[in-house]
Amino acid sequence: MTASKQPAPGTKRPIDMRYLESTVGYSIRRAQMAVFQHIYESFDDKALTLVQFSVMAVAADNPGVTQSELAQVLAVERPRIVPILNRLEELGFAKRVVSEDDKRNRQIVLTASGAARLRELKRRFAAHERELDELLGKRKTGLLDALHRLSGIGE
């Protein structure tokens, strides 16, 4: 990416962005915003957020996962996971069931409509990923490796 001077929205005056564009944090944030925007457009679903999609995907791939485990693996604060799960229940996509092993824990289970919705969203997400593959080419693997190192994923 080339650092640039860009006109600010609504003005003709160029804004010097070279300093911020040379930083990892700013560049990651801008890339994240662009990727998330594309995902939302791909989903075409105003009722479901990316975090809710992530919760559904993890619950589908990990039968018996608890809400505290979800919060931990998705790096969502434990108090924030409750309204996310509440919304998925309101939409009819998931339900909380009491764990047979520990009655204090609630396991997250997708409903039939939640599983069907997740299949459709995964299909759309796969199309989004194919577009990123085309854009990044062979650099995608190196980018993922670098991002995983920065975030501590896989350690």
Short mmCIF file of all heavy atoms in Angstrom, two decimals, residues 58-92:
data_model
loop_
_atom_site.label_atom_id
_atom_site.label_comp_id
_atom_site.label_asym_id
_atom_site.label_seq_id
_atom_site.Cartn_x
_atom_site.Cartn_y
_atom_site.Cartn_z
N VAL A 58 -18.98 -21.33 15.78
CA VAL A 58 -18.26 -22.06 16.83
C VAL A 58 -19.19 -23.07 17.50
O VAL A 58 -18.80 -24.22 17.76
CB VAL A 58 -17.64 -21.10 17.86
CG1 VAL A 58 -17.06 -21.86 19.06
CG2 VAL A 58 -16.56 -20.25 17.21
N ALA A 59 -20.43 -22.68 17.77
CA ALA A 59 -21.40 -23.59 18.40
C ALA A 59 -21.67 -24.80 17.50
O ALA A 59 -21.76 -25.93 17.98
CB ALA A 59 -22.69 -22.86 18.72
N ALA A 60 -21.77 -24.57 16.20
CA ALA A 60 -22.03 -25.67 15.26
C ALA A 60 -20.85 -26.63 15.20
O ALA A 60 -21.04 -27.85 15.11
CB ALA A 60 -22.32 -25.11 13.87
N ASP A 61 -19.64 -26.09 15.26
CA ASP A 61 -18.44 -26.93 15.14
C ASP A 61 -18.00 -27.56 16.46
O ASP A 61 -17.10 -28.40 16.47
CB ASP A 61 -17.27 -26.09 14.59
CG ASP A 61 -17.50 -25.68 13.14
OD1 ASP A 61 -18.35 -26.31 12.46
OD2 ASP A 61 -16.82 -24.74 12.68
N ASN A 62 -18.62 -27.14 17.57
CA ASN A 62 -18.22 -27.61 18.90
C ASN A 62 -19.45 -27.93 19.75
O ASN A 62 -19.80 -27.17 20.66
CB ASN A 62 -17.37 -26.55 19.60
CG ASN A 62 -16.10 -26.25 18.85
OD1 ASN A 62 -15.11 -26.96 19.00
ND2 ASN A 62 -16.12 -25.24 18.00
N PRO A 63 -20.10 -29.05 19.47
CA PRO A 63 -21.30 -29.40 20.25
C PRO A 63 -21.01 -29.39 21.74
O PRO A 63 -19.98 -29.90 22.19
CB PRO A 63 -21.64 -30.81 19.76
CG PRO A 63 -21.03 -30.90 18.40
CD PRO A 63 -19.78 -30.06 18.47
N GLY A 64 -21.90 -28.78 22.49
CA GLY A 64 -21.74 -28.72 23.93
C GLY A 64 -20.94 -27.53 24.42
O GLY A 64 -20.71 -27.40 25.62
N VAL A 65 -20.52 -26.64 23.52
CA VAL A 65 -19.74 -25.47 23.94
C VAL A 65 -20.60 -24.62 24.88
O VAL A 65 -21.80 -24.46 24.67
CB VAL A 65 -19.23 -24.66 22.73
CG1 VAL A 65 -20.35 -23.95 21.98
CG2 VAL A 65 -18.15 -23.66 23.15
N THR A 66 -19.97 -24.11 25.92
CA THR A 66 -20.70 -23.28 26.89
C THR A 66 -20.56 -21.81 26.55
O THR A 66 -19.64 -21.42 25.80
CB THR A 66 -20.19 -23.51 28.32
OG1 THR A 66 -18.83 -23.04 28.41
CG2 THR A 66 -20.27 -24.98 28.72
N GLN A 67 -21.43 -20.99 27.14
CA GLN A 67 -21.35 -19.56 26.84
C GLN A 67 -20.05 -18.97 27.38
O GLN A 67 -19.48 -18.08 26.74
CB GLN A 67 -22.58 -18.81 27.33
CG GLN A 67 -22.89 -18.85 28.77
CD GLN A 67 -24.25 -18.20 29.06
OE1 GLN A 67 -25.27 -18.53 28.48
NE2 GLN A 67 -24.24 -17.26 29.98
N SER A 68 -19.52 -19.47 28.47
CA SER A 68 -18.24 -18.94 28.97
C SER A 68 -17.09 -19.36 28.05
O SER A 68 -16.17 -18.57 27.82
CB SER A 68 -17.98 -19.37 30.41
OG SER A 68 -17.93 -20.76 30.53
N GLU A 69 -17.14 -20.56 27.49
CA GLU A 69 -16.11 -20.97 26.53
C GLU A 69 -16.18 -20.11 25.27
O GLU A 69 -15.15 -19.72 24.73
CB GLU A 69 -16.29 -22.45 26.16
CG GLU A 69 -15.94 -23.41 27.28
CD GLU A 69 -16.33 -24.84 26.96
OE1 GLU A 69 -17.35 -25.08 26.27
OE2 GLU A 69 -15.60 -25.74 27.42
N LEU A 70 -17.40 -19.84 24.81
CA LEU A 70 -17.56 -18.98 23.63
C LEU A 70 -16.94 -17.61 23.87
O LEU A 70 -16.23 -17.10 23.02
CB LEU A 70 -19.05 -18.80 23.29
CG LEU A 70 -19.69 -19.92 22.51
CD1 LEU A 70 -21.20 -19.72 22.47
CD2 LEU A 70 -19.14 -19.99 21.11
N ALA A 71 -17.24 -17.04 25.01
CA ALA A 71 -16.70 -15.72 25.33
C ALA A 71 -15.17 -15.75 25.30
O ALA A 71 -14.53 -14.86 24.74
CB ALA A 71 -17.20 -15.25 26.70
N GLN A 72 -14.60 -16.80 25.87
CA GLN A 72 -13.14 -16.90 25.93
C GLN A 72 -12.52 -17.05 24.54
O GLN A 72 -11.60 -16.32 24.18
CB GLN A 72 -12.73 -18.06 26.82
CG GLN A 72 -11.24 -18.18 27.00
CD GLN A 72 -10.86 -19.31 27.93
OE1 GLN A 72 -11.69 -20.10 28.37
NE2 GLN A 72 -9.58 -19.39 28.24
N VAL A 73 -13.01 -18.00 23.74
CA VAL A 73 -12.36 -18.26 22.46
C VAL A 73 -12.60 -17.15 21.44
O VAL A 73 -11.78 -16.95 20.54
CB VAL A 73 -12.75 -19.63 21.85
CG1 VAL A 73 -12.34 -20.76 22.77
CG2 VAL A 73 -14.21 -19.70 21.50
N LEU A 74 -13.70 -16.41 21.58
CA LEU A 74 -13.98 -15.31 20.66
C LEU A 74 -13.50 -13.96 21.19
O LEU A 74 -13.69 -12.93 20.54
CB LEU A 74 -15.49 -15.24 20.35
CG LEU A 74 -16.03 -16.43 19.57
CD1 LEU A 74 -17.56 -16.33 19.45
CD2 LEU A 74 -15.38 -16.52 18.19
N ALA A 75 -12.86 -13.98 22.35
CA ALA A 75 -12.33 -12.76 22.97
C ALA A 75 -13.43 -11.71 23.15
O ALA A 75 -13.25 -10.53 22.86
CB ALA A 75 -11.16 -12.20 22.17
N VAL A 76 -14.57 -12.18 23.63
CA VAL A 76 -15.70 -11.31 23.96
C VAL A 76 -15.82 -11.30 25.48
O VAL A 76 -15.77 -12.36 26.11
CB VAL A 76 -17.02 -11.83 23.33
CG1 VAL A 76 -18.21 -11.01 23.77
CG2 VAL A 76 -16.90 -11.88 21.81
N GLU A 77 -15.96 -10.13 26.06
CA GLU A 77 -16.10 -10.06 27.51
C GLU A 77 -17.32 -10.87 27.93
O GLU A 77 -18.36 -10.85 27.27
CB GLU A 77 -16.25 -8.61 27.96
CG GLU A 77 -15.02 -7.77 27.70
CD GLU A 77 -15.25 -6.30 27.99
OE1 GLU A 77 -16.37 -5.91 28.35
OE2 GLU A 77 -14.29 -5.54 27.84
N ARG A 78 -17.19 -11.61 29.03
CA ARG A 78 -18.28 -12.50 29.46
C ARG A 78 -19.62 -11.79 29.59
O ARG A 78 -20.63 -12.34 29.15
CB ARG A 78 -17.90 -13.21 30.75
CG ARG A 78 -16.85 -14.30 30.50
CD ARG A 78 -16.46 -15.01 31.74
NE ARG A 78 -17.59 -15.81 32.21
CZ ARG A 78 -17.47 -16.78 33.09
NH1 ARG A 78 -16.31 -17.07 33.60
NH2 ARG A 78 -18.52 -17.46 33.47
N PRO A 79 -19.68 -10.58 30.14
CA PRO A 79 -20.98 -9.92 30.22
C PRO A 79 -21.57 -9.58 28.83
O PRO A 79 -22.79 -9.50 28.68
CB PRO A 79 -20.71 -8.63 31.00
CG PRO A 79 -19.44 -8.89 31.73
CD PRO A 79 -18.65 -9.84 30.89
N ARG A 80 -20.73 -9.42 27.83
CA ARG A 80 -21.21 -9.08 26.47
C ARG A 80 -21.75 -10.29 25.72
O ARG A 80 -22.50 -10.13 24.77
CB ARG A 80 -20.07 -8.47 25.65
CG ARG A 80 -19.79 -7.04 26.02
CD ARG A 80 -19.26 -6.24 24.87
NE ARG A 80 -20.05 -6.49 23.66
CZ ARG A 80 -19.54 -6.59 22.44
NH1 ARG A 80 -18.27 -6.45 22.24
NH2 ARG A 80 -20.28 -6.85 21.40
N ILE A 81 -21.36 -11.50 26.13
CA ILE A 81 -21.83 -12.68 25.41
C ILE A 81 -23.32 -12.92 25.67
O ILE A 81 -24.04 -13.44 24.81
CB ILE A 81 -20.99 -13.94 25.75
CG1 ILE A 81 -21.14 -15.03 24.68
CG2 ILE A 81 -21.34 -14.52 27.09
CD1 ILE A 81 -20.42 -14.76 23.41
N VAL A 82 -23.81 -12.51 26.83
CA VAL A 82 -25.21 -12.75 27.19
C VAL A 82 -26.17 -12.06 26.22
O VAL A 82 -27.07 -12.71 25.67
CB VAL A 82 -25.48 -12.36 28.66
CG1 VAL A 82 -26.97 -12.43 28.99
CG2 VAL A 82 -24.68 -13.26 29.59
N PRO A 83 -26.03 -10.75 25.93
CA PRO A 83 -26.95 -10.14 24.97
C PRO A 83 -26.81 -10.70 23.55
O PRO A 83 -27.77 -10.75 22.80
CB PRO A 83 -26.63 -8.64 25.01
CG PRO A 83 -25.42 -8.48 25.85
CD PRO A 83 -25.18 -9.75 26.58
N ILE A 84 -25.62 -11.15 23.21
CA ILE A 84 -25.41 -11.77 21.89
C ILE A 84 -26.24 -13.04 21.81
O ILE A 84 -26.96 -13.28 20.83
CB ILE A 84 -23.91 -12.05 21.65
CG1 ILE A 84 -23.14 -10.73 21.53
CG2 ILE A 84 -23.71 -12.94 20.43
CD1 ILE A 84 -21.63 -10.88 21.61
N LEU A 85 -26.16 -13.86 22.86
CA LEU A 85 -26.93 -15.10 22.89
C LEU A 85 -28.43 -14.83 23.01
O LEU A 85 -29.24 -15.53 22.40
CB LEU A 85 -26.44 -15.99 24.03
CG LEU A 85 -25.01 -16.50 23.87
CD1 LEU A 85 -24.52 -17.17 25.14
CD2 LEU A 85 -24.90 -17.43 22.68
N ASN A 86 -28.78 -13.80 23.77
CA ASN A 86 -30.20 -13.42 23.86
C ASN A 86 -30.76 -13.12 22.48
O ASN A 86 -31.87 -13.55 22.13
CB ASN A 86 -30.39 -12.19 24.76
CG ASN A 86 -30.17 -12.49 26.22
OD1 ASN A 86 -30.11 -13.64 26.65
ND2 ASN A 86 -30.02 -11.43 27.01
N ARG A 87 -30.00 -12.37 21.69
CA ARG A 87 -30.45 -12.00 20.34
C ARG A 87 -30.58 -13.23 19.45
O ARG A 87 -31.55 -13.35 18.69
CB ARG A 87 -29.50 -10.98 19.73
CG ARG A 87 -29.90 -10.52 18.36
CD ARG A 87 -31.21 -9.74 18.38
NE ARG A 87 -31.53 -9.32 17.03
CZ ARG A 87 -32.76 -9.23 16.55
NH1 ARG A 87 -33.79 -9.48 17.32
NH2 ARG A 87 -32.96 -8.86 15.31
N LEU A 88 -29.62 -14.15 19.53
CA LEU A 88 -29.71 -15.37 18.73
C LEU A 88 -30.94 -16.20 19.12
O LEU A 88 -31.59 -16.81 18.26
CB LEU A 88 -28.43 -16.20 18.86
CG LEU A 88 -27.20 -15.62 18.16
CD1 LEU A 88 -25.96 -16.43 18.49
CD2 LEU A 88 -27.41 -15.52 16.66
N GLU A 89 -31.26 -16.19 20.41
CA GLU A 89 -32.48 -16.88 20.85
C GLU A 89 -33.73 -16.17 20.33
O GLU A 89 -34.67 -16.82 19.86
CB GLU A 89 -32.51 -17.00 22.37
CG GLU A 89 -31.57 -18.06 22.90
CD GLU A 89 -31.66 -18.25 24.40
OE1 GLU A 89 -31.82 -17.25 25.14
OE2 GLU A 89 -31.56 -19.41 24.84
N GLU A 90 -33.74 -14.84 20.40
CA GLU A 90 -34.88 -14.07 19.88
C GLU A 90 -35.11 -14.34 18.40
O GLU A 90 -36.26 -14.40 17.95
CB GLU A 90 -34.65 -12.56 20.08
CG GLU A 90 -34.73 -12.09 21.50
CD GLU A 90 -34.22 -10.65 21.65
OE1 GLU A 90 -34.02 -9.94 20.63
OE2 GLU A 90 -34.00 -10.24 22.80
N LEU A 91 -34.02 -14.48 17.65
CA LEU A 91 -34.12 -14.75 16.21
C LEU A 91 -34.49 -16.21 15.93
O LEU A 91 -34.77 -16.56 14.78
CB LEU A 91 -32.79 -14.42 15.53
CG LEU A 91 -32.40 -12.94 15.48
CD1 LEU A 91 -30.95 -12.77 15.04
CD2 LEU A 91 -33.34 -12.17 14.56
N GLY A 92 -34.46 -17.04 16.98
CA GLY A 92 -34.78 -18.45 16.81
C GLY A 92 -33.64 -19.27 16.24
O GLY A 92 -33.85 -20.37 15.74
#
